[in-house]
Amino acid sequence: MASKAERTTAYIIETVAPIFNRQGYIGTSMNDLTEATGLTKGAIYGNFENKEALALSAFEYNSKILLEAIDEQLAVEGTALDKLFQLTKFYRNYDVFTFKMGGCPILNVGIDAKYNNHLLRAAAGETLRLIEGKIALVLENGVKNNELKLPVTPLQFAKQLYTMLQGAIAMATMSDDRKYLINTIAYLDLLVQKEIKK
């Protein structure tokens, strides 16, 4: 059973993760954190070395949720196509999935931290690479099993596919119009069906 200190640390991370994700590292004040948690600054910093350590833990918390969800989509039984379509089905409702998180953690943190927090930027980049690698593995297995034909390497195709997904997420987020997401995914499904299915 978790100790009181461990429960407090987990509570702080879970509570502040969507705030950091929505408002950014610089945009999140200590007042935002104390107000959300109901804890004093001293109580928060009794659990974390500084704001940067807390922001990094908050990102890692959101990242873990996202990676587990993607693993779940790609673990479905069936062919590589089945797995890819399960992934695009997940991304069709990605805005709903990430709502409680404060939006897409990769997009939000990656852009926000690019010039002001190298640790957060590196963590977002690592999560991005992990997702691309997971997609590439599905593609590689699809090629090996003679289910798919790719015009480029599996990793390159995974990067292009994920670029399109992240672009759609960015456009849907900026415009408050989820049609960017829906239409891009419809196009991706068509692309997969017509261009790479054997």
Side-chain angles (χ1 to χ4, degrees):
M1 181 172 207
S3 69
K4 185 178 179 195
E6 289 168 334
R7 287 194 306 273
T8 301
T9 299
Y11 165 75
I12 292 169
I13 293 169
E14 289 168 26
T15 305
V16 305
I19 297 168
F20 273 116
N21 195 24
R22 197 170 23 254
Q23 296 178 193
Y25 174 71
I26 295 204
T28 302
S29 70
M30 200 61 218
N31 189 50
D32 294 326
L33 303 177
T34 57
E35 194 175 298
T37 60
L39 299 171
T40 65
K41 182 178 175 179
I44 292 172
Y45 283 146
N47 288 275
F48 298 91
E49 184 182 339
N50 52 35
K51 181 181 169 186
E52 186 177 50
L54 177 53
L56 188 57
S57 293
F59 173 76
E60 288 168 350
Y61 173 80
N62 280 338
S63 176
K64 183 174 183 247
I65 292 170
L66 176 58
L67 290 170
E68 285 173 355
I70 288 172
D71 283 343
E72 191 178 313
Q73 308 315 308
L74 297 178
V76 296
E77 290 295 320
T79 65
L81 277 176
D82 295 328
K83 293 174 190 298
L84 289 173
F85 289 139
Q86 184 66 30
L87 184 67
T88 57
K89 181 180 172 187
F90 167 74
Y91 272 100
R92 194 171 282 115
N93 291 300
Y94 186 72
D95 53 337
V96 176
F97 174 79
T98 58
F99 180 77
K100 283 185 179 178
M101 302 164 91
C104 175
I106 296 169
L107 177 67
N108 292 0
V109 173
I111 298 296
D112 174 67
K114 171 103 174 135
Y115 299 108
N116 63 45
N117 191 306
H118 72 278
L119 286 177
L120 278 171
R121 181 186 166 284
E126 179 59 25
T127 301
L128 183 148
R129 284 186 291 281
L130 282 171
I131 294 170
E132 290 172 344
K134 290 171 188 294
I135 298 168
L137 185 59
V138 169
L139 293 166
E140 188 179 317
N141 288 334
V143 170
K144 278 183 190 169
N145 295 332
N146 206 30
E147 300 163 356
L148 303 175
K149 59 182 187 318
L150 297 177
V152 292
T153 66
L155 183 58
Q156 185 59 43
F157 195 88
K159 286 175 180 260
Q160 293 306 115
L161 187 143
Y162 195 62
T163 296
M164 291 177 74
L165 287 172
Q166 280 299 117
I169 292 162
M171 292 299 288
T173 301
M174 289 186 289
S175 67
D176 269 336
D177 184 353
R178 67 188 320 269
K179 284 189 193 127
Y180 283 101
L181 198 53
I182 302 298
N183 293 342
T184 300
I185 288 169
Y187 172 72
L188 278 173
D189 283 345
L190 193 64
L191 178 76
V192 166
Q193 188 72 35
K194 295 207 168 212
E195 298 294 325
I196 68 169
K197 178 184 173 188
K198 264 203 170 176

